[in-house]
């Protein structure tokens, strides 16, 4: 179907932070499949995990116990607030599970009217019908029927509107600690703590969508970890980096939040299959290493410093630098889609974003030398954007 506005590029192989086209051209990849290839391309440990498992068992169905699934769930629970995990194939499916879990929690407690999920402007939670309704982006909803009941959308950062929206039918609040597609807006730690307290005060659940910002992207294993345990959610959605490029997602929850999810209330054909669990286990081992997280913080600091310098030197191109860790947003004073092409002309791959931003989402193991190269290419893209604007003036 013609649903993708594809760039005229095709890649045949990747190695670390490099992608190589079918014509042999090398690109520095600061998209990482939109924060998916968090360990770069063809990471040897992930490749070996996939090969080893592929020779043993691919799929058996969740009718049976899957040891790799139990092992990865135990690891995720040990690293987080969670007691239980449901494995999916994607982030959107993890969001679906989170919505169902939140509503079933209230139903099981004798409050079936509590179905409303409060979300925020600029959010992105996936492309399924429920996920796009949770996000509320009009362009993604258009043509797919009337809006689903049970979803409330509020301006980002409007505390008064949030307090006013909570009522007897509210089930949960869903938010990205760092927005991805919405323009790399980072939720302050104080606001994360405030959301936790607000949910406690009103008996509703807090859902963090860490599909893009989680698993090391911000320099902590999860973005809400910056609150030092004072903003733990009841439910969390993860995916993307969890498989390092292999399709896998997960919905994590406390035992209390998941109390309504009884046998038969949810399921998945492929979710938690042995192949995905083998790769996911290997990826989590790497992503959770303290030395990798420290490296992310170091490289992120370099990017922030250098991009802020570009903002000062190119105020006609770069308007703002935002985000957290290696989820970096650059708000532009020039059209972002044009700028992405300028970057590609410099053999640099970056992602788009809302609020006229571009995003840099490099592999978390990007070296400092590669970061310097990325900044140099980004600066040359700024030169191209400036030259084009002056030529058109």
């Amino acid at each position: 179907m013609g649903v993708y506005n594809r760039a005229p590029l095709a890649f045949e192989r990747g190695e670390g932070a490099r992608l190589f086209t079918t014509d042999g051209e090398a690109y520095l990849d600061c998209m990482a499949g939109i924060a998916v290839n968090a360990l770069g391309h063809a990471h040897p440990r992930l490749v070996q995990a996939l090969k080893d498992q592929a020779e043993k068992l691919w799929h058996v169905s969740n009718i049976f116990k899957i040891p790799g699934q139990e092992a990865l769930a135990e690891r995720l629970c040990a690293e987080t607030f969670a007691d239980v995990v449901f494995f999916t194939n994607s982030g959107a499916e993890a969001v679906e599970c989170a919505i169902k879990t939140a509503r079933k929690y209230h139903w099981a407690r004798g409050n079936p009217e509590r179905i409303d999920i409060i979300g925020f402007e600029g959010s992105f939670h996936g492309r399924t019908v429920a996920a796009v309704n949770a996000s509320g982006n009009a362009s993604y909803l258009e043509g797919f029927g009337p809006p689903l009941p049970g979803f409330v959308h509020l301006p980002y950062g409007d505390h008064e509107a949030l307090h006013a929206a909570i009522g007897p039918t509210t089930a949960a609040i869903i938010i990205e600690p760092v927005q991805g597609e919405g323009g790399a807006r980072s939720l302050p730690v104080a606001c994360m703590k405030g959301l936790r307290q607000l949910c406690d005060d009103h008996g509703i659940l807090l859902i963090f969508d860490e599909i893009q910002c989680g698993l090391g992207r911000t320099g902590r294993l999860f973005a809400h970890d910056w609150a030092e345990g004072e903003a733990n959610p009841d439910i969390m959605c993860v995916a993307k980096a969890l498989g390092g490029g292999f399709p896998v997602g997960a919905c994590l929850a406390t035992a209390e939040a998941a109390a309504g999810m009884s046998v038969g209330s949810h399921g998945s054909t492929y979710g938690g299959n042995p192949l995905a669990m083998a790769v996911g286990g290997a990826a989590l081992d790497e992503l959770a290493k303290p030395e990798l997280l420290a490296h992310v913080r170091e490289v992120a600091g370099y990017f922030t410093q250098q991009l802020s310098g570009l903002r000062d030197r190119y105020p006609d191109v770069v308007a703002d630098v935002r985000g957290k860790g290696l989820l970096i947003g650059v708000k532009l004073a020039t059209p972002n889609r044009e700028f992405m092409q300028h970057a590609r002309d410099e053999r640099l791959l970056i992602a788009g974003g809302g609020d006229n931003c571009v995003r840099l989402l490099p592999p978390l193991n990007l070296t400092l030398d590669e970061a310097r190269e990325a900044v140099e290419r980004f600066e040359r893209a700024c030169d191209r954007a400036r030259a084009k604007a002056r030529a058109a003036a």
Side-chain angles (χ1 to χ4, degrees):
M1 294 185 183
V3 297
Y4 297 114
N5 182 20
R6 298 186 193 272
L9 287 172
F11 299 102
E12 66 174 5
R13 66 185 179 90
E15 182 179 337
R18 308 283 172 178
L19 275 172
F20 300 87
T21 68
T22 52
D23 298 326
E25 291 278 357
Y27 285 72
L28 183 59
D29 185 8
C30 283
M31 282 180 65
I34 311 184
V36 169
N37 301 99
L39 296 169
H41 299 281
H43 189 280
R45 183 167 182 189
L46 303 193
V47 170
Q48 194 60 51
L50 182 60
K51 285 181 176 179
D52 291 346
Q53 185 60 46
E55 293 175 349
K56 294 190 289 187
L57 189 64
W58 290 24
H59 177 78
V60 291
S61 167
N62 281 300
I63 290 171
F64 306 104
K65 293 180 67 175
I66 300 174
Q69 191 178 114
E70 295 176 2
L72 183 53
E74 288 175 2
R75 279 291 319 281
L76 285 167
C77 290
E79 296 282 1
T80 68
F81 67 95
D83 303 306
V84 293
V85 180
F86 180 87
F87 287 108
T88 67
N89 311 286
S90 66
E93 290 170 78
V95 169
E96 291 275 340
C97 182
I99 292 168
K100 292 176 71 174
T101 299
R103 289 177 172 173
K104 198 70 180 293
Y105 165 80
H106 292 290
W107 178 88
R109 291 166 63 90
N111 300 301
E113 73 283 358
R114 303 194 77 163
I115 66 165
D116 289 345
I117 310 294
I118 296 176
F120 299 90
E121 169 265 328
S123 65
F124 181 77
H125 301 299
R127 296 283 197 156
T128 61
V129 174
V132 293
N133 274 272
S135 302
N137 187 318
S139 64
Y140 294 158
L141 284 165
E142 185 180 12
F144 298 116
L148 294 183
F151 293 96
V152 178
H153 307 110
L154 302 177
Y156 187 86
D158 190 332
H159 296 173
E160 290 185 9
L162 175 57
H163 282 269
I166 295 174
T169 60
T170 305
I173 293 170
I174 184 169
I175 192 166
E176 300 155 276
V178 186
Q179 284 190 343
E181 184 166 309
R185 292 187 291 193
S186 179
L187 188 67
V189 167
C191 291
M192 281 194 269
K193 293 179 181 180
L195 285 173
R196 177 67 274 168
Q197 187 61 54
L198 187 66
C199 289
D200 290 342
D201 291 344
H202 291 274
I204 60 180
L205 300 182
L206 179 59
I207 304 170
F208 279 156
D209 177 344
E210 293 225 19
I211 291 165
Q212 185 168 143
C213 65
L215 290 160
R217 179 60 52 183
T218 67
R220 301 290 290 268
L221 188 56
F222 293 100
H224 72 268
D225 288 340
W226 287 98
E228 305 294 349
E230 295 184 47
N232 286 346
D234 302 290
I235 304 170
M236 180 171 68
C237 307
V238 299
K240 287 187 180 283
L242 184 59
F246 195 94
V248 58
C251 178
L252 287 69
T254 64
E256 181 180 359
M261 299 300 277
S262 54
V263 172
S265 60
H266 197 47
S268 171
T269 296
Y270 293 110
N273 68 78
L275 280 175
M277 297 299 93
V279 179
L284 182 59
D285 285 346
E286 296 295 319
L287 294 167
K289 287 181 176 178
E291 56 267 34
L292 178 67
L293 299 175
H295 177 75
V296 170
R297 296 191 293 271
E298 179 184 10
V299 175
Y302 173 79
F303 267 119
T304 300
Q305 179 190 55
Q306 296 299 310
L307 292 171
S308 295
L310 293 184
R311 178 191 59 203
D312 295 338
R313 296 198 299 278
Y314 295 86
D316 53 328
V317 179
V318 177
D320 190 22
V321 179
R322 54 174 69 158
K324 197 171 187 68
L326 290 179
L327 199 171
I328 304 165
V330 180
K331 180 176 171 62
L332 298 172
T334 187
N336 64 345
R337 295 293 167 182
E338 289 184 8
F339 191 90
M340 290 165 65
Q341 182 58 55
H342 295 321
R344 287 197 292 269
D345 290 339
E346 295 297 336
R347 302 299 186 264
L348 174 67
L349 301 176
I350 56 178
D355 198 25
N356 200 44
C357 283
V358 293
R359 283 173 289 168
L360 285 82
L361 304 161
L364 304 185
N365 52 5
L366 189 81
T367 67
L368 272 174
D369 284 342
E370 289 167 336
R372 291 187 189 97
E373 182 183 345
V375 171
E376 290 168 359
R377 295 183 184 218
F378 196 96
E379 182 168 9
R380 293 199 294 270
C382 289
D383 285 329
R384 286 178 178 269
R386 173 177 282 175
K388 182 172 182 178
R390 288 178 175 174

